[in-house]
Coordinates of all heavy atoms in Angstrom, one line a residue:
M174 N 12.5 -25.0 -20.2 CA 12.5 -23.9 -19.3 C 12.5 -24.5 -17.8 O 11.7 -25.3 -17.5 CB 11.3 -23.0 -19.5 CG 11.3 -21.8 -18.5 SD 9.9 -20.7 -18.8 CE 10.4 -19.8 -20.2
S175 N 13.4 -24.1 -17.0 CA 13.5 -24.5 -15.6 C 12.4 -23.9 -14.8 O 11.8 -22.9 -15.2 CB 14.9 -24.2 -15.0 OG 15.0 -22.8 -14.8
T176 N 12.2 -24.4 -13.6 CA 11.3 -23.8 -12.7 C 11.7 -22.4 -12.3 O 10.8 -21.5 -12.3 CB 11.2 -24.7 -11.4 OG1 10.9 -26.0 -11.8 CG2 10.2 -24.1 -10.4
L177 N 12.9 -22.2 -12.1 CA 13.4 -20.8 -11.8 C 13.1 -19.9 -12.9 O 12.6 -18.8 -12.7 CB 14.9 -20.8 -11.4 CG 15.5 -19.5 -11.1 CD1 14.8 -18.8 -9.9 CD2 17.0 -19.6 -10.8
E178 N 13.5 -20.3 -14.1 CA 13.3 -19.4 -15.3 C 11.8 -19.1 -15.5 O 11.4 -18.0 -15.8 CB 13.8 -20.1 -16.6 CG 15.3 -20.2 -16.6 CD 15.8 -21.1 -17.7 OE1 15.1 -22.0 -18.1 OE2 16.9 -20.8 -18.2
Y179 N 10.9 -20.1 -15.3 CA 9.5 -19.9 -15.4 C 9.0 -18.9 -14.3 O 8.2 -18.0 -14.6 CB 8.8 -21.2 -15.3 CG 7.3 -21.1 -15.4 CD1 6.7 -20.7 -16.6 CD2 6.5 -21.3 -14.3 CE1 5.3 -20.6 -16.7 CE2 5.1 -21.2 -14.4 CZ 4.5 -20.8 -15.6 OH 3.1 -20.7 -15.6
T180 N 9.5 -19.1 -13.1 CA 9.1 -18.2 -12.0 C 9.5 -16.8 -12.3 O 8.7 -15.8 -12.1 CB 9.6 -18.7 -10.7 OG1 9.2 -20.1 -10.5 CG2 9.2 -17.8 -9.5
V181 N 10.7 -16.6 -12.7 CA 11.2 -15.3 -13.1 C 10.4 -14.6 -14.2 O 10.0 -13.5 -14.1 CB 12.7 -15.3 -13.4 CG1 13.2 -14.0 -14.0 CG2 13.5 -15.7 -12.2
S182 N 10.0 -15.4 -15.2 CA 9.3 -14.9 -16.3 C 7.9 -14.4 -15.8 O 7.3 -13.4 -16.3 CB 9.2 -15.9 -17.4 OG 8.3 -17.0 -17.1
L183 N 7.3 -15.2 -14.9 CA 6.0 -14.8 -14.3 C 6.1 -13.5 -13.5 O 5.3 -12.6 -13.7 CB 5.5 -15.9 -13.4 CG 4.9 -17.1 -14.0 CD1 4.5 -18.1 -12.9 CD2 3.7 -16.8 -14.8
L184 N 7.2 -13.4 -12.7 CA 7.4 -12.2 -11.9 C 7.6 -11.0 -12.8 O 7.2 -9.9 -12.4 CB 8.5 -12.4 -11.0 CG 8.3 -13.4 -9.8 CD1 9.6 -13.7 -9.1 CD2 7.2 -13.0 -8.9
E185 N 8.3 -11.1 -13.9 CA 8.6 -10.0 -14.8 C 7.3 -9.4 -15.4 O 7.3 -8.2 -15.8 CB 9.5 -10.4 -15.9 CG 10.9 -10.6 -15.4 CD 11.9 -11.2 -16.4 OE1 11.4 -11.8 -17.4 OE2 13.1 -11.0 -16.2
T186 N 6.3 -10.2 -15.5 CA 5.0 -9.7 -16.1 C 4.0 -9.3 -15.1 O 2.9 -8.8 -15.5 CB 4.4 -10.8 -17.1 OG1 4.1 -12.0 -16.3 CG2 5.4 -11.2 -18.1
M187 N 4.2 -9.5 -13.9 CA 3.2 -9.2 -12.9 C 3.1 -7.7 -12.6 O 4.1 -7.0 -12.6 CB 3.5 -9.9 -11.5 CG 3.3 -11.3 -11.5 SD 3.8 -12.0 -9.9 CE 2.1 -12.3 -9.3
P188 N 1.9 -7.2 -12.3 CA 1.8 -5.8 -11.9 C 2.4 -5.6 -10.5 O 2.5 -6.5 -9.7 CB 0.2 -5.6 -11.8 CG -0.4 -6.8 -12.3 CD 0.6 -7.9 -12.4
E189 N 2.8 -4.3 -10.3 CA 3.5 -4.0 -9.0 C 2.7 -4.4 -7.8 O 3.3 -4.9 -6.8 CB 3.7 -2.5 -9.0 CG 4.6 -2.0 -7.9 CD 6.1 -2.5 -8.0 OE1 6.5 -2.7 -9.1 OE2 6.7 -2.7 -7.0
D190 N 1.4 -4.2 -7.7 CA 0.7 -4.6 -6.5 C 0.7 -6.1 -6.3 O 0.8 -6.5 -5.1 CB -0.8 -4.1 -6.6 CG -1.6 -4.6 -7.8 OD1 -1.0 -4.8 -8.9 OD2 -2.8 -4.9 -7.6
K191 N 0.7 -6.9 -7.3 CA 0.7 -8.3 -7.2 C 2.1 -8.7 -6.7 O 2.3 -9.7 -5.9 CB 0.3 -9.1 -8.4 CG -1.1 -8.8 -8.8 CD -2.0 -9.4 -7.8 CE -3.5 -9.2 -8.1 NZ -4.4 -9.6 -7.1
L192 N 3.2 -8.1 -7.2 CA 4.5 -8.3 -6.8 C 4.7 -8.1 -5.3 O 5.4 -8.9 -4.6 CB 5.5 -7.5 -7.6 CG 5.8 -7.9 -9.0 CD1 6.7 -6.9 -9.7 CD2 6.5 -9.3 -9.1
R193 N 4.1 -7.1 -4.8 CA 4.1 -6.8 -3.3 C 3.5 -7.9 -2.6 O 3.9 -8.3 -1.5 CB 3.5 -5.4 -3.0 CG 4.4 -4.3 -3.3 CD 3.8 -3.0 -2.6 NE 4.2 -1.9 -3.5 CZ 3.3 -1.3 -4.3 NH1 2.1 -1.6 -4.4 NH2 3.8 -0.3 -5.1
E194 N 2.3 -8.4 -3.1 CA 1.7 -9.5 -2.4 C 2.6 -10.8 -2.3 O 2.7 -11.4 -1.3 CB 0.4 -9.9 -3.1 CG -0.7 -8.9 -2.9 CD -2.0 -9.3 -3.6 OE1 -2.3 -10.5 -3.7 OE2 -2.7 -8.4 -4.1
V195 N 3.2 -11.0 -3.5 CA 4.2 -12.2 -3.5 C 5.3 -12.0 -2.5 O 5.7 -12.9 -1.8 CB 4.7 -12.4 -5.0 CG1 5.9 -13.4 -5.0 CG2 3.6 -12.8 -5.9
Q196 N 5.8 -10.7 -2.5 CA 6.9 -10.4 -1.6 C 6.5 -10.6 -0.1 O 7.2 -11.2 0.7 CB 7.4 -9.0 -1.8 CG 8.6 -8.6 -0.9 CD 9.0 -7.2 -1.1 OE1 8.2 -6.3 -1.5 NE2 10.2 -6.9 -0.8
N197 N 5.3 -10.1 0.2 CA 4.8 -10.3 1.6 C 4.7 -11.7 1.9 O 5.0 -12.2 3.1 CB 3.5 -9.5 1.8 CG 3.7 -8.0 1.7 OD1 4.8 -7.5 2.0 ND2 2.6 -7.3 1.4
Y198 N 4.2 -12.5 1.0 CA 4.0 -14.0 1.3 C 5.3 -14.7 1.5 O 5.5 -15.5 2.4 CB 3.1 -14.6 0.2 CG 2.8 -16.1 0.5 CD1 2.0 -16.4 1.6 CD2 3.4 -17.1 -0.2 CE1 1.7 -17.7 1.9 CE2 3.1 -18.4 0.1 CZ 2.3 -18.7 1.2 OH 2.1 -20.0 1.5
I199 N 6.3 -14.4 0.6 CA 7.6 -15.0 0.7 C 8.2 -14.6 2.1 O 8.8 -15.5 2.8 CB 8.5 -14.6 -0.4 CG1 8.0 -15.2 -1.7 CG2 9.9 -14.9 -0.2 CD1 8.6 -14.7 -3.0
Q200 N 8.1 -13.3 2.5 CA 8.6 -12.9 3.8 C 7.9 -13.7 4.9 O 8.6 -14.1 5.9 CB 8.4 -11.5 4.0 CG 9.4 -10.6 3.2 CD 9.1 -9.1 3.4 OE1 8.1 -8.7 3.8 NE2 10.1 -8.3 3.1
Y201 N 6.6 -13.9 4.8 CA 5.9 -14.7 5.8 C 6.5 -16.1 5.9 O 6.7 -16.6 7.0 CB 4.4 -14.7 5.4 CG 3.7 -15.8 6.2 CD1 3.4 -15.7 7.5 CD2 3.3 -17.0 5.5 CE1 2.7 -16.7 8.2 CE2 2.6 -18.0 6.2 CZ 2.3 -17.9 7.6 OH 1.7 -18.9 8.2
L202 N 6.7 -16.7 4.7 CA 7.2 -18.1 4.7 C 8.6 -18.2 5.3 O 8.9 -19.1 6.0 CB 7.3 -18.6 3.3 CG 6.0 -18.9 2.6 CD1 6.2 -19.3 1.1 CD2 5.2 -20.0 3.3
I203 N 9.4 -17.2 5.0 CA 10.8 -17.2 5.6 C 10.8 -16.9 7.1 O 11.6 -17.6 7.8 CB 11.6 -16.1 4.8 CG1 11.9 -16.5 3.4 CG2 13.0 -15.9 5.5 CD1 12.5 -15.4 2.5
F204 N 10.0 -16.0 7.5 CA 10.1 -15.5 8.9 C 9.1 -16.1 9.9 O 9.2 -15.9 11.1 CB 10.0 -14.0 9.0 CG 11.1 -13.2 8.4 CD1 10.9 -12.5 7.2 CD2 12.3 -13.2 8.9 CE1 11.9 -11.8 6.6 CE2 13.4 -12.5 8.4 CZ 13.2 -11.8 7.2
R205 N 8.2 -16.9 9.4 CA 7.1 -17.3 10.3 C 7.5 -18.2 11.5 O 6.9 -18.2 12.5 CB 6.0 -18.1 9.5 CG 6.5 -19.4 8.9 CD 5.5 -20.1 8.2 NE 6.1 -21.2 7.4 CZ 5.4 -22.0 6.6 NH1 4.1 -21.7 6.3 NH2 6.0 -22.9 5.9
D206 N 8.7 -18.8 11.4 CA 9.1 -19.7 12.5 C 10.3 -19.0 13.2 O 11.0 -19.7 14.0 CB 9.5 -21.1 12.0 CG 8.3 -21.8 11.4 OD1 7.2 -21.6 11.9 OD2 8.5 -22.6 10.4
R207 N 10.6 -17.8 13.0 CA 11.7 -17.1 13.6 C 11.3 -16.1 14.6 O 10.2 -15.5 14.5 CB 12.5 -16.4 12.5 CG 13.2 -17.4 11.5 CD 13.9 -16.7 10.4 NE 14.8 -15.6 10.9 CZ 15.5 -14.9 10.1 NH1 15.6 -15.2 8.8 NH2 16.3 -13.9 10.5
D208 N 12.1 -15.9 15.6 CA 11.8 -15.0 16.7 C 11.9 -13.5 16.2 O 11.3 -12.6 16.8 CB 12.7 -15.2 17.9 CG 12.4 -16.5 18.6 OD1 11.3 -17.0 18.5 OD2 13.4 -17.0 19.2
D209 N 12.7 -13.3 15.1 CA 13.0 -11.9 14.6 C 12.0 -11.6 13.5 O 12.3 -10.7 12.7 CB 14.4 -11.8 14.2 CG 14.9 -12.7 13.1 OD1 14.2 -13.7 12.9 OD2 15.9 -12.4 12.5
M210 N 10.9 -12.2 13.4 CA 10.0 -12.0 12.3 C 9.5 -10.5 12.4 O 9.1 -10.1 13.5 CB 8.8 -12.9 12.4 CG 7.9 -12.8 11.2 SD 6.7 -14.1 11.2 CE 5.3 -13.4 12.0
P211 N 9.6 -9.7 11.3 CA 9.3 -8.3 11.3 C 7.8 -8.0 11.6 O 7.4 -7.0 12.0 CB 9.7 -7.8 10.0 CG 9.7 -9.0 9.1 CD 10.0 -10.2 10.0
V212 N 6.9 -9.0 11.2 CA 5.5 -8.8 11.4 C 4.9 -9.9 12.2 O 5.2 -11.1 12.0 CB 4.8 -8.7 10.0 CG1 3.3 -8.6 10.1 CG2 5.4 -7.7 9.1
E213 N 4.0 -9.5 13.1 CA 3.4 -10.6 14.0 C 2.1 -11.0 13.3 O 1.3 -10.2 13.0 CB 3.1 -10.0 15.3 CG 2.4 -11.0 16.3 CD 2.1 -10.4 17.6 OE1 2.4 -9.2 17.8 OE2 1.4 -11.1 18.4
F214 N 2.0 -12.3 13.0 CA 0.8 -12.8 12.4 C -0.1 -13.3 13.6 O 0.3 -14.1 14.5 CB 1.1 -14.0 11.5 CG 1.7 -13.5 10.2 CD1 3.1 -13.4 10.2 CD2 1.0 -13.1 9.2 CE1 3.7 -12.9 9.0 CE2 1.6 -12.6 8.0 CZ 3.0 -12.5 7.9
L215 N -1.3 -12.8 13.6 CA -2.3 -13.1 14.7 C -3.3 -14.1 14.3 O -3.7 -14.2 13.2 CB -2.9 -11.8 15.1 CG -2.0 -10.6 15.4 CD1 -2.8 -9.3 15.6 CD2 -1.2 -10.9 16.7
N216 N -3.8 -14.8 15.4 CA -4.9 -15.7 15.1 C -6.2 -14.9 15.2 O -6.2 -13.7 15.6 CB -4.9 -16.9 16.1 CG -5.1 -16.4 17.5 OD1 -5.7 -15.4 17.8 ND2 -4.5 -17.2 18.5
E217 N -7.3 -15.5 14.9 CA -8.6 -14.8 14.8 C -9.0 -14.2 16.2 O -9.4 -13.0 16.2 CB -9.7 -15.8 14.4 CG -11.0 -15.1 14.2 CD -12.1 -16.1 13.7 OE1 -11.8 -17.2 13.3 OE2 -13.3 -15.7 13.8
D218 N -8.8 -14.9 17.3 CA -9.1 -14.3 18.6 C -8.3 -13.0 18.9 O -8.9 -12.0 19.4 CB -8.9 -15.3 19.7 CG -9.9 -16.5 19.6 OD1 -11.0 -16.3 19.1 OD2 -9.5 -17.6 20.1
A219 N -7.0 -13.1 18.6 CA -6.2 -11.9 18.8 C -6.6 -10.7 17.9 O -6.6 -9.6 18.4 CB -4.7 -12.2 18.6
I220 N -7.0 -11.0 16.7 CA -7.4 -9.9 15.8 C -8.7 -9.3 16.3 O -8.9 -8.1 16.4 CB -7.6 -10.5 14.4 CG1 -6.3 -10.8 13.8 CG2 -8.4 -9.4 13.5 CD1 -6.4 -11.6 12.5
V221 N -9.7 -10.1 16.8 CA -10.9 -9.6 17.3 C -10.7 -8.8 18.5 O -11.3 -7.7 18.7 CB -11.9 -10.8 17.6 CG1 -13.1 -10.3 18.4 CG2 -12.4 -11.5 16.3
R222 N -9.8 -9.3 19.4 CA -9.5 -8.5 20.6 C -8.9 -7.1 20.3 O -9.3 -6.1 20.8 CB -8.5 -9.2 21.5 CG -9.1 -10.3 22.4 CD -8.1 -10.8 23.5 NE -6.8 -11.2 23.0 CZ -6.6 -12.4 22.5 NH1 -7.5 -13.3 22.5 NH2 -5.4 -12.8 22.1
Q223 N -8.0 -7.1 19.3 CA -7.4 -5.8 18.9 C -8.4 -4.9 18.3 O -8.4 -3.7 18.5 CB -6.2 -6.1 18.0 CG -5.0 -6.6 18.7 CD -3.7 -6.6 17.9 OE1 -3.7 -6.1 16.8 NE2 -2.6 -7.2 18.4
L224 N -9.2 -5.4 17.4 CA -10.2 -4.6 16.8 C -11.2 -4.1 17.8 O -11.7 -2.9 17.7 CB -10.9 -5.4 15.7 CG -10.1 -5.7 14.4 CD1 -10.9 -6.6 13.5 CD2 -9.7 -4.4 13.7
T225 N -11.6 -4.9 18.7 CA -12.6 -4.4 19.8 C -12.0 -3.3 20.6 O -12.6 -2.3 20.8 CB -12.9 -5.6 20.7 OG1 -13.5 -6.7 19.9 CG2 -13.9 -5.2 21.8
E226 N -10.7 -3.4 21.0 CA -10.0 -2.4 21.7 C -9.9 -1.1 20.8 O -10.1 0.0 21.3 CB -8.7 -2.8 22.2 CG -7.8 -1.8 22.9 CD -8.5 -1.3 24.2 OE1 -9.4 -2.0 24.7 OE2 -8.2 -0.1 24.6
S227 N -9.6 -1.3 19.6 CA -9.5 -0.2 18.7 C -10.8 0.6 18.5 O -10.9 1.8 18.5 CB -9.0 -0.7 17.3 OG -8.9 0.4 16.4
M228 N -11.9 -0.2 18.5 CA -13.3 0.5 18.4 C -13.6 1.2 19.7 O -14.1 2.3 19.6 CB -14.3 -0.6 18.1 CG -14.3 -1.1 16.7 SD -15.6 -2.2 16.2 CE -15.3 -3.6 17.2
R229 N -13.2 0.7 20.8 CA -13.4 1.4 22.1 C -12.6 2.7 22.1 O -13.2 3.7 22.5 CB -13.0 0.5 23.2 CG -13.9 -0.6 23.6 CD -13.5 -1.3 24.9 NE -14.3 -2.5 25.0 CZ -13.7 -3.8 25.2 NH1 -12.4 -3.9 25.3 NH2 -14.5 -4.8 25.3
K230 N -11.4 2.7 21.7 CA -10.6 3.9 21.7 C -11.2 4.9 20.7 O -11.2 6.1 21.0 CB -9.1 3.6 21.3 CG -8.3 2.9 22.3 CD -6.9 2.6 21.9 CE -6.1 1.9 22.9 NZ -4.7 1.7 22.5
S231 N -11.6 4.4 19.6 CA -12.2 5.3 18.6 C -13.4 6.0 19.1 O -13.7 7.2 18.9 CB -12.5 4.5 17.3 OG -13.1 5.4 16.4
D232 N -14.3 5.2 19.8 CA -15.5 5.8 20.4 C -15.2 6.8 21.5 O -15.9 7.8 21.6 CB -16.3 4.6 21.1 CG -17.0 3.7 20.1 OD1 -17.0 4.1 18.9 OD2 -17.4 2.6 20.5
R233 N -14.0 6.7 22.1 CA -13.6 7.7 23.1 C -12.8 8.9 22.5 O -12.5 9.8 23.2 CB -12.7 7.0 24.2 CG -13.4 6.0 25.0 CD -12.5 5.6 26.2 NE -11.1 5.4 26.0 CZ -10.5 4.2 25.8 NH1 -11.2 3.1 25.8 NH2 -9.2 4.2 25.6
G234 N -12.6 8.8 21.2 CA -11.9 9.9 20.5 C -10.4 9.8 20.5 O -9.7 10.7 20.2
V235 N -9.9 8.6 21.0 CA -8.4 8.4 21.0 C -8.0 7.8 19.7 O -8.0 6.6 19.4 CB -8.1 7.4 22.2 CG1 -6.6 7.2 22.2 CG2 -8.6 7.9 23.5
T236 N -7.7 8.8 18.8 CA -7.4 8.3 17.4 C -6.1 9.1 16.9 O -5.7 10.1 17.5 CB -8.5 8.6 16.4 OG1 -8.8 10.0 16.4 CG2 -9.8 7.9 16.8
T237 N -5.6 8.6 15.8 CA -4.5 9.2 15.1 C -4.9 9.6 13.7 O -5.4 8.7 13.0 CB -3.2 8.3 15.1 OG1 -2.9 7.9 16.4 CG2 -2.0 9.0 14.4
P238 N -4.7 10.8 13.3 CA -5.1 11.2 11.9 C -4.4 10.3 10.9 O -3.3 9.9 11.0 CB -4.6 12.7 11.8 CG -4.5 13.1 13.2 CD -4.1 11.9 14.0
A239 N -5.2 10.0 9.8 CA -4.8 9.1 8.7 C -3.4 9.6 8.1 O -2.6 8.7 7.8 CB -5.8 9.0 7.7
D240 N -3.2 10.9 7.9 CA -2.0 11.3 7.3 C -0.8 11.0 8.2 O 0.3 10.6 7.6 CB -2.0 12.8 6.9 CG -2.3 13.7 8.2 OD1 -2.9 13.3 9.1 OD2 -1.8 14.8 8.1
I241 N -0.9 11.0 9.5 CA 0.2 10.7 10.4 C 0.4 9.2 10.3 O 1.6 8.7 10.3 CB -0.1 11.2 11.8 CG1 -0.1 12.7 11.8 CG2 0.9 10.6 12.8 CD1 -0.5 13.3 13.2
V242 N -0.6 8.4 10.3 CA -0.5 6.9 10.2 C 0.2 6.6 8.9 O 1.1 5.7 8.9 CB -1.9 6.2 10.3 CG1 -1.8 4.8 10.0 CG2 -2.5 6.5 11.7
S243 N -0.2 7.2 7.8 CA 0.4 6.9 6.5 C 1.9 7.2 6.5 O 2.7 6.5 6.0 CB -0.3 7.7 5.4 OG -1.6 7.2 5.2
K244 N 2.2 8.4 7.1 CA 3.6 8.8 7.2 C 4.4 7.8 7.9 O 5.5 7.3 7.5 CB 3.7 10.2 7.8 CG 5.1 10.7 7.9 CD 5.2 12.0 8.6 CE 6.6 12.4 8.7 NZ 6.8 13.6 9.6
R245 N 3.9 7.3 9.1 CA 4.6 6.3 9.9 C 4.8 5.0 9.2 O 5.8 4.4 9.3 CB 3.9 6.1 11.2 CG 3.9 7.3 12.2 CD 3.1 7.0 13.4 NE 3.1 8.1 14.3 CZ 2.2 8.2 15.3 NH1 1.3 7.3 15.5 NH2 2.2 9.3 16.0
M246 N 3.7 4.6 8.5 CA 3.8 3.3 7.7 C 4.9 3.4 6.6 O 5.6 2.5 6.4 CB 2.4 3.0 7.1 CG 1.3 2.7 8.1 SD 1.5 1.1 8.9 CE 1.1 0.0 7.6
K247 N 4.9 4.5 5.9 CA 5.9 4.7 4.9 C 7.3 4.7 5.4 O 8.2 4.1 4.9 CB 5.7 6.0 4.1 CG 4.5 6.0 3.2 CD 4.2 7.4 2.6 CE 3.0 7.3 1.8 NZ 2.6 8.6 1.2
E248 N 7.5 5.3 6.6 CA 8.8 5.4 7.2 C 9.2 4.0 7.7 O 10.4 3.6 7.5 CB 8.8 6.4 8.4 CG 8.8 7.8 7.9 CD 8.5 8.7 9.1 OE1 8.3 8.3 10.2 OE2 8.6 10.0 8.8
R249 N 8.3 3.3 8.3 CA 8.6 2.0 8.9 C 8.7 0.9 7.9 O 9.6 0.0 8.1 CB 7.6 1.7 10.0 CG 7.9 0.5 10.8 CD 6.9 0.3 11.9 NE 7.3 -0.8 12.8 CZ 6.7 -1.2 13.8 NH1 5.6 -0.5 14.2 NH2 7.1 -2.2 14.5
Y250 N 7.8 0.8 7.0 CA 7.8 -0.3 6.1 C 8.2 0.0 4.6 O 8.0 -0.8 3.7 CB 6.4 -0.9 6.1 CG 6.0 -1.4 7.5 CD1 5.0 -0.7 8.2 CD2 6.6 -2.5 8.0 CE1 4.7 -1.2 9.5 CE2 6.3 -3.0 9.3 CZ 5.3 -2.3 10.0 OH 5.0 -2.7 11.3
A251 N 8.6 1.2 4.4 CA 9.0 1.7 3.0 C 7.9 1.4 2.0 O 8.1 0.9 0.9 CB 10.3 1.0 2.6
I252 N 6.6 1.7 2.4 CA 5.5 1.5 1.5 C 5.3 2.7 0.6 O 5.4 3.8 1.0 CB 4.2 1.3 2.3 CG1 4.4 0.1 3.3 CG2 3.0 1.1 1.4 CD1 3.2 -0.2 4.2

């Protein structure tokens, strides 16, 4: 069995949620060095800054209802 055949056989038996994880990782590998990468990968400092700002906005009541966020995510990322 070739490497490709083995990989395909593994993918055929994986649950859907694990397949999505594999797909996301493959996209990361493909796009990580490109300017047109669809998702920005952040370092720890950037994540902490964004979360801190998010908490400040939440404390002030500047929020978006979860159903609207879910709808936007589905439209944008076909989740």
Side-chain angles (χ1 to χ4, degrees):
M174 178 180 284
S175 72
T176 303
L177 177 59
E178 290 169 329
Y179 179 69
T180 303
V181 169
S182 70
L183 285 175
L184 292 171
E185 289 174 339
T186 62
M187 290 179 102
E189 188 67 28
D190 61 322
K191 295 297 179 187
L192 285 172
R193 278 194 216 103
E194 288 180 35
V195 170
Q196 180 184 25
N197 289 339
Y198 184 67
I199 290 170
Q200 287 177 339
Y201 164 74
L202 291 175
I203 292 170
F204 292 111
R205 67 180 167 186
D206 296 327
R207 292 178 46 179
D208 292 334
D209 61 342
M210 188 167 95
V212 177
E213 179 183 357
F214 290 90
L215 305 173
N216 63 31
E217 184 177 348
D218 291 337
I220 292 170
V221 170
R222 279 194 306 276
Q223 286 190 7
L224 289 173
T225 302
E226 178 61 24
S227 180
M228 288 187 293
R229 285 187 192 126
K230 287 180 177 180
S231 178
D232 290 344
R233 293 190 322 258
V235 181
T236 60
T237 303
D240 58 331
I241 293 174
V242 172
S243 293
K244 180 182 177 191
R245 289 177 186 166
M246 295 288 287
K247 287 177 183 175
E248 291 171 352
R249 187 170 183 180
Y250 300 108
I252 300 175

